[in-house]
Amino acid sequence: MKLNTLTWGDPQAERSAVLIHGVTSNAQSWTRVGPRLADAGFYAVAVDLRGHGTSTKRDGEYALDLMVGDLPESVPTAPTLLVGHSFGGVMAILAAQKKLLRPRHLVLEDPVLHFADQALPARLLKNDEANLPRDVEGTLRLNPKWQRVDAEGKVASLQAINWEHMRQVFSENAPWDLRPAVIEVAQQLPTLLILPATSFYVPEPDAAMLAGALGSAAVRHMPGAGHSIHRDDLDGFLNAIFDWMG
């Protein structure tokens, strides 16, 4: 399936970046990241995963293999940089592992590496459906480090989704455990995990295990940032990536 994308920068640039959002979000999640990457010489492409944003919504067609299979039809297949946030990290890991995308560098921003069953993701989605603000001011109160454009994008993304489809994406694909896959992929290409100071999705034992397997420089914690690091601390997020890439 061809996905909707947002792009920034020159398509002929020597460097490219592919940006993959989390569940219930869309390409607008990267609305401040894309221009900064373009300023740094990248052609940046952010996708709306199927069921999100303005990409096609098909009830019952959200298996992980189907979703990750959309990516090579929609984005540069050999980007300099592949970034996946949250559930987008699941997509990025699988795309690299299956060699559907062949990035030179992989960044996983607080990725959802492991669900032991379907109950937890179902509960998380139910909480979001019931409690996430549907207005800009409420979103900013919940996320005081975001800028208004971030909140506007989040509100628009929530308006565009079908919650039953999100359950198919997030909970009906569970369980999964991508911790071994991260180690496998990192043996083939440079891989960086950027995590908040305390991560729900990559708890400290997992972070320590991955740091031991990948090297301590491959796991970075961002003090003061929450799950959406690129919206809470854009400068710190990009500096971590650029410093790591050299």
Side-chain angles (χ1 to χ4, degrees):
M1 178 191 297
K2 182 76 171 177
L3 302 173
N4 178 65
T5 60
L6 295 179
T7 65
W8 301 268
D10 182 357
Q12 303 305 315
E14 291 185 4
R15 298 192 294 176
S16 60
V18 171
L19 310 171
I20 310 178
H21 64 80
V23 70
T24 77
S25 194
N26 63 21
Q28 292 183 57
S29 164
W30 306 103
T31 193
R32 289 196 289 133
V33 177
R36 291 281 295 272
L37 289 172
D39 289 345
F42 287 84
Y43 174 57
V45 181
V47 296
D48 287 342
L49 294 171
R50 68 164 64 191
H52 297 74
T54 58
S55 288
T56 300
K57 300 168 177 61
R58 291 181 179 172
D59 187 52
E61 296 189 18
Y62 294 103
L64 292 180
D65 284 347
L66 290 176
M67 295 189 70
V68 76
D70 296 335
L71 294 173
E73 299 183 44
S74 311
V75 302
T77 57
T80 311
L81 176 64
L82 174 60
V83 182
H85 173 231
S86 192
F87 180 78
V90 174
M91 295 287 97
I93 294 163
L94 292 176
Q97 184 184 44
K98 296 173 180 290
K99 295 183 169 51
L100 297 174
L101 300 181
R102 296 175 179 268
R104 287 179 13 214
H105 301 84
L106 173 63
V107 172
L108 304 172
E109 179 190 356
D110 204 18
V112 186
L113 294 184
H114 179 222
F115 279 138
D117 53 39
Q118 293 187 350
L120 177 57
R123 188 162 63 250
L124 293 171
L125 274 177
K126 186 176 181 179
N127 179 72
D128 282 355
E129 183 178 9
N131 296 307
L132 282 181
R134 304 303 200 271
D135 65 290
V136 171
E137 298 305 326
T139 301
L140 287 172
R141 285 193 296 272
L142 184 64
N143 302 282
K145 295 183 180 179
W146 291 17
Q147 292 191 7
R148 178 166 289 272
V149 68
D150 298 316
E152 290 170 347
K154 185 62 179 180
V155 170
S157 74
L158 292 174
Q159 293 171 341
I161 60 169
N162 176 304
W163 284 97
E164 174 54 34
H165 290 189
M166 295 303 98
R167 282 183 277 275
Q168 294 172 30
V169 170
F170 205 50
S171 58
E172 293 185 14
N173 275 311
W176 67 70
D177 186 354
L178 294 177
R179 293 170 295 185
V182 172
I183 296 171
E184 175 189 336
V185 168
Q187 292 172 345
Q188 303 169 37
L189 64 106
T191 300
L192 173 67
L193 280 80
I194 304 180
L195 307 176
T198 301
S199 172
F200 176 82
Y201 291 111
V202 188
E204 186 52 38
D206 287 352
M209 180 274 291
L210 291 168
L214 278 59
S216 59
V219 179
R220 299 197 183 185
H221 290 84
M222 303 295 291
H227 177 57
S228 189
I229 301 164
H230 67 276
R231 288 183 278 208
D232 282 340
D233 183 3
L234 178 59
D235 286 340
F237 178 74
L238 291 175
N239 288 338
I241 293 174
F242 292 150
D243 289 348
W244 169 71
M245 291 180 68

